[in-house]
Amino acid sequence: MTFQGFSQSNKKGFYKGEGSRQVHLDFHTTEKLENIGKSWNKDEWQQTLKDGHVNSINIFAKGHHGWAYYNTKIGKRHPNLKFDLLKAQIEANKEIGVSSQAYVTVGWNVLDGKEHPEWVSTGKDGKNTFAEMEAKSKPGEHFSWGWPNMYPEGPYMEHLLKHTEEIVKNYDVDGFWFDIVPVGNINYNEYSKKDMEANGIDWNNEEEAWAYHCKKMHTYFQKTNALIKKYKPNATIYYNWTTPISNKRIVDEHYDQYNTKQDLEDLPTTWAGYDVFPVRAKYYANTGKPIVAMSGKFHSAWGEFGGFKHKDAIWYEAASMLSYGAMANFGDQLHPTGKLEKATYDNIGHAYEYIEKIEDYSLNSKHLAKTAIWLSFTGRDNDLTKMLLEKQVNFVVANNLNDWSDLKLIILNSDVKLNEEETIKIQAFVDKGGKLFILEKGAFENGKWKFDIGATYLGDATADVDYTLVSDKLTEDLIQSPFLNRYPAVRVQPEAGTEILAKIHEPYFNRTVEHWTSHDNTPYNTKAAAHPAIIRNGNIVWAAHRLERNYGKEGSRVHKQLFYNALKQVLTDPFVEADLPSSGRVNLLHQPQENRYVVHLTYATPHQRGRAKVIEDLVPLYNVNVRVDFDEKIKKVYTIPDKMELKMKKVGNQLEVVVPEFRCHSGVVYEY
């Protein structure tokens, strides 16, 4: 097993210049609010952060309303702020060992947009959406959410650079956090169109305009980084919106290269749920830079006032962040008076007091697994990883993973597209004995698959639904009767020697106004179709259905179990297995510099309550079996944070221990 490690300072809880227990402190205040910062008190500020076990905080230099919170010659300090709040906060933080990162808004900016309407981004039609929304609003009418969109080019970019230089020269900040960086939006305002025309770009041509947009974004990042590093070479830098996994066009630009760490902003209660962060963490961990997991103390909306998660939910989220090798960050929004809410930091402190005990077993780690997924950067990634997480299949991401020496299996979901270089790399992996599990049209192009699945493509489904009947090899926890697929299979002709693991039964006819029966779908024909549902050709298993979409859209357990049973045909000796309920999560981290592996276990059950996913009951689990298969001879096994030693038992090639009890989180440490 190989490892590419991170450097870590010798100061507990600090990781490449930033603390591991962070707060992102929003402070967006209009000029309509008076007495900004009136109640700020250094002693109270410091004590509240101490109570919260916070050792790093993102504080505002300039927010979305455009006002600065420091003494600026470039912009304008908030008219109702009577002192240099940024300086006071930094000095207070330094005294108690808390790092300070300066927040600067980039893409949303009310003041600069009003003073310089020529800087505001527009669509091709020249319309400013925010200005139109303002103009259409009636006096006294509730004003919906929105901001003027800005774009870092030309005079506005120079304005941003001057702000950045002013802060980095005059304030003892430890880093910068730039927000709303518009990497995904082309600007078509008059300045931008003239600039494109001057550089030979046809702004009506989407591809040309996009390529030029990307070039301008790289220029902004390069200039800003150079400026910061000129004065503070060790400053941390992060640009928000540069770390997605849902937009391949952005991912392919590798804007994350300009970050010194990778922050992963999320609000799982009302955004994409609790199963998106793990795969983002695994992908961006491969960049070799520290990962910061960002959630919020908020219940339903980022920056809401008076919105609270329960402290146990924050504890679970924080433990999950550390389980995937990430530093923890929870968003808060400072009251306009400048006074931190004690209740918020009691809740955060409940979680941070716990993770302070386990962070040494999480940071400075490598994700380790024999199974990898290949991201398609579409919604199918989330559907696939949900099945893996619910079945406690530990995995890594192959796309940007440099070292494949531990990999035995790569899963390609139904939306995966591969270029020639990627195809060659995966084929070499297969030629050396690696295995593939391909779903539907994963790695499919020009009427055939890029790897030999042992079948010839006949066409897409002709039935409106179909049914799967498994063979004896796939019967574990599955009914032996044809079960429904709302998203029917593509049709293939198996070649001689290809093993059929599951068959398809089609309906007697498609349900139409001319032919229909009963309430919903037509029953299955008792004779199996000629085209199969699951086949195996050597080291490649192929599924005819979009199993991940069937499960993601319909939530039927049979599709997840079918996926898992087929997966086990090609994955027989994982590094780690744990007997957990479906809401349990397992992740394996390796710390070779400490001669240890750490298996992190978490358990909570998010419930849909209104528009939010709520963690309410942290139910303890008892007698959880954990089995591992490592090359090294294990000397000692114990749990964290309580350091309880566990008895080891050899079961075949695996080493088994039993965790007697845990609630929310436990780590199992294997020293060698």
Side-chain angles (χ1 to χ4, degrees):
M1 300 172 187
T2 60
F3 174 74
Q4 293 175 328
F6 303 134
S7 63
Q8 185 176 25
S9 76
N10 58 13
K11 188 175 181 182
K12 180 175 172 60
F14 277 77
Y15 192 46
K16 279 195 172 180
E18 275 192 1
S20 52
R21 301 179 301 279
Q22 303 183 9
V23 164
H24 182 85
L25 191 62
D26 273 38
F27 199 46
H28 304 290
T29 57
T30 173
E31 66 280 5
K32 306 293 184 182
L33 286 167
E34 299 180 353
N35 299 318
I36 300 299
K38 180 183 179 181
S39 299
W40 191 86
N41 176 279
K42 184 178 79 168
D43 292 339
E44 286 186 359
W45 172 275
Q46 291 175 330
Q47 189 58 51
T48 304
L49 294 182
K50 288 178 183 178
D51 291 343
H53 294 260
V54 174
N55 60 8
S56 186
I57 187 165
N58 299 337
I59 49 179
F60 270 40
K62 186 175 184 177
H64 293 337
H65 285 278
W67 301 111
Y69 302 102
Y70 69 96
N71 294 337
T72 174
K73 295 180 181 178
I74 305 303
K76 291 181 178 178
R77 195 178 77 183
H78 196 293
N80 301 324
L81 174 66
K82 305 304 181 186
F83 66 106
D84 191 327
L85 179 60
L86 181 67
K87 182 180 180 182
Q89 290 172 333
I90 292 170
E91 290 177 349
N93 292 343
K94 292 290 180 186
E95 289 180 10
I96 59 172
V98 173
S99 69
S100 305
Q101 293 72 237
Y103 173 103
V104 177
T105 189
V106 175
W108 294 340
N109 190 323
V110 176
L111 178 65
D112 289 337
K114 287 187 180 297
E115 292 188 343
H116 295 277
E118 73 278 10
W119 292 358
V120 177
S121 301
T122 71
K124 276 187 181 180
D125 56 5
K127 291 183 179 179
N128 172 350
T129 305
F130 179 79
E132 290 197 344
M133 184 172 65
E134 269 193 318
K136 291 178 181 177
S137 297
K138 299 176 183 177
E141 184 180 46
H142 178 76
F143 189 62
S144 60
W145 183 91
W147 302 94
N149 292 312
M150 310 288 281
Y151 189 94
E153 65 174 339
Y156 182 57
M157 182 175 72
E158 294 305 316
H159 180 71
L160 289 171
L161 292 172
K162 288 176 183 177
H163 259 301
T164 302
E165 184 172 32
E166 185 177 51
I167 297 164
V168 75
K169 280 177 64 177
N170 299 334
Y171 293 85
D172 193 13
V173 294
D174 298 293
F176 282 83
W177 210 93
F178 296 98
D179 200 10
I180 319 297
V181 185
V183 290
N185 300 314
I186 301 172
N187 178 23
Y188 291 101
N189 68 15
E190 286 304 309
Y191 176 90
S192 189
K193 287 193 290 189
K194 288 178 181 177
D195 179 54
M196 283 190 267
E197 290 169 357
N199 285 276
I201 306 299
D202 179 2
W203 53 265
N204 280 308
N205 183 305
E206 173 74 18
E207 290 186 11
E208 285 189 30
W210 174 258
Y212 192 62
H213 154 76
C214 294
K215 182 179 178 180
K216 289 188 291 186
M217 290 308 310
H218 283 288
T219 298
Y220 166 68
F221 293 133
Q222 291 162 3
K223 286 189 174 184
T224 304
N225 276 26
L227 184 61
I228 294 170
K229 291 176 181 179
K230 174 183 173 182
Y231 296 98
K232 284 189 168 61
N234 296 321
T236 61
I237 304 170
Y238 176 70
Y239 299 94
N240 201 18
W241 292 3
T242 61
T243 50
I245 59 165
S246 57
N247 188 320
K248 194 172 188 301
R249 289 209 306 181
I250 295 173
V251 172
D252 284 347
E253 288 300 314
H254 299 290
Y255 294 130
D256 59 271
Q257 68 182 290
Y258 302 108
N259 302 324
T260 63
K261 43 79 182 263
Q262 313 292 10
D263 284 28
L264 309 176
E265 184 187 20
D266 193 10
L267 190 62
T269 46
T270 52
W271 291 7
Y274 281 88
D275 292 333
V276 174
F277 163 69
V279 68
R280 288 183 74 195
K282 289 171 180 291
Y283 178 79
Y284 284 103
N286 291 341
T287 66
K289 296 178 180 180
I291 306 298
V292 180
M294 294 187 69
S295 184
K297 70 103 174 184
F298 319 112
H299 168 69
S300 59
W302 195 275
E304 68 185 353
F305 289 105
F308 289 90
K309 286 192 184 91
H310 190 273
K311 63 181 181 179
D312 280 350
I314 296 178
W315 175 27
Y316 172 75
E317 290 185 17
S320 297
M321 294 167 179
L322 273 289
S323 296
Y324 292 96
M327 295 182 281
N329 184 311
F330 282 87
D332 181 24
Q333 179 146 216
L334 185 62
H335 191 273
T337 61
K339 185 180 178 69
L340 294 172
E341 290 179 314
K342 183 180 185 300
T344 291
Y345 291 83
D346 286 345
N347 284 357
I348 292 174
H350 175 68
Y352 280 4
E353 183 179 13
Y354 179 83
I355 68 171
E356 191 171 2
K357 300 172 185 177
I358 68 170
E359 58 193 12
D360 288 345
Y361 296 88
S362 302
L363 306 181
N364 200 20
S365 302
K366 176 194 174 184
H367 289 261
L368 188 67
K370 294 183 181 180
T371 299
I373 62 173
W374 190 275
L375 294 181
S376 62
F377 304 104
T378 69
R380 298 290 77 75
D381 295 331
N382 295 339
D383 294 337
L384 171 62
T385 56
K386 186 173 180 64
M387 293 194 295
L388 292 170
L389 292 168
E390 290 180 1
K391 282 296 187 179
Q392 293 81 45
V393 177
N394 187 48
F395 65 94
V396 292
V397 175
N399 303 60
N400 61 344
L401 182 66
N402 292 327
D403 180 10
W404 286 18
S405 60
D406 293 321
L407 297 188
K408 303 297 183 185
L409 167 68
I410 298 176
I411 305 171
L412 308 177
N413 71 51
S414 60
D415 274 357
V416 165
K417 310 295 181 189
L418 299 174
N419 61 33
E420 184 177 357
E421 181 182 351
E422 293 166 343
T423 303
I424 291 171
K425 186 175 183 179
I426 296 175
Q427 185 61 60
F429 168 78
V430 175
D431 292 342
K432 292 178 182 177
K435 299 172 182 178
L436 297 182
F437 184 15
I438 304 173
L439 302 183
E440 205 235 16
K441 286 187 175 179
F444 181 85
E445 188 177 340
N446 298 325
K448 61 181 180 179
W449 284 267
K450 295 198 169 189
F451 310 103
D452 185 4
I453 68 167
T456 303
Y457 177 65
L458 297 177
D460 289 348
T462 54
D464 55 355
V465 298
D466 62 23
Y467 302 81
T468 298
L469 179 64
V470 298
S471 71
D472 291 342
K473 286 191 175 183
L474 302 183
T475 55
E476 180 186 343
D477 206 21
L478 272 178
I479 57 170
Q480 290 185 283
S481 179
F483 54 80
L484 176 65
N485 305 297
R486 293 283 182 182
Y487 300 94
V490 299
R491 296 174 295 113
V492 298
Q493 175 64 52
E495 298 169 357
T498 297
E499 182 181 9
I500 297 176
L501 298 173
K503 295 180 179 180
I504 287 175
H505 288 253
E506 292 190 316
Y508 284 110
F509 47 76
N510 289 346
R511 186 179 178 92
T512 67
V513 70
E514 297 89 1
H515 303 85
W516 60 274
T517 184
S518 192
H519 294 303
D520 191 351
N521 49 299
T522 307
Y524 57 85
N525 195 318
T526 55
K527 181 180 179 181
H531 55 283
I534 308 276
I535 58 177
R536 179 171 184 172
N537 181 36
N539 282 352
I540 301 177
V541 168
W542 176 79
H545 293 92
R546 291 171 284 179
L547 291 178
E548 80 281 47
R549 190 177 185 206
N550 269 297
Y551 184 64
K553 294 292 186 182
E554 296 296 318
S556 179
R557 185 171 168 180
V558 293
H559 295 117
K560 178 173 65 178
Q561 190 65 40
L562 176 60
F563 167 83
Y564 182 62
N565 292 355
L567 178 75
K568 289 199 295 183
Q569 297 297 306
V570 279
L571 178 66
T572 55
D573 57 344
F575 281 128
V576 60
E577 294 179 297
D579 296 336
L580 291 168
S582 62
S583 292
R585 300 291 180 261
V586 60
N587 193 55
L588 173 62
L589 297 176
H590 186 199
Q591 295 180 314
Q593 74 282 7
E594 303 290 348
N595 293 330
R596 68 192 181 203
Y597 298 95
V598 186
V599 175
H600 286 274
L601 309 172
T602 56
Y603 180 69
T605 52
H607 295 282
Q608 194 74 40
R609 303 277 174 79
R611 63 190 178 108
K613 290 180 172 63
V614 177
I615 291 174
E616 184 165 339
D617 305 309
L618 290 181
V619 178
L621 297 181
Y622 300 95
N623 300 321
V624 175
N625 283 282
V626 180
R627 297 170 298 281
V628 297
D629 182 9
F630 300 135
D631 294 338
E632 295 84 357
K633 183 177 180 180
I634 302 301
K635 298 190 302 182
K636 183 180 180 181
V637 185
Y638 55 92
T639 60
I640 55 168
D642 52 3
K643 303 292 179 70
M644 179 178 65
E645 191 163 351
L646 301 177
K647 292 182 180 180
M648 297 178 277
K649 182 174 72 172
K650 195 75 173 176
V651 180
N653 293 327
Q654 295 179 312
L655 193 67
E656 182 179 86
V657 298
V658 178
V659 179
E661 178 183 355
F662 79 89
R663 180 170 176 259
C664 182
H665 169 269
S666 180
V668 184
V669 182
Y670 298 80
E671 293 186 354
Y672 59 85

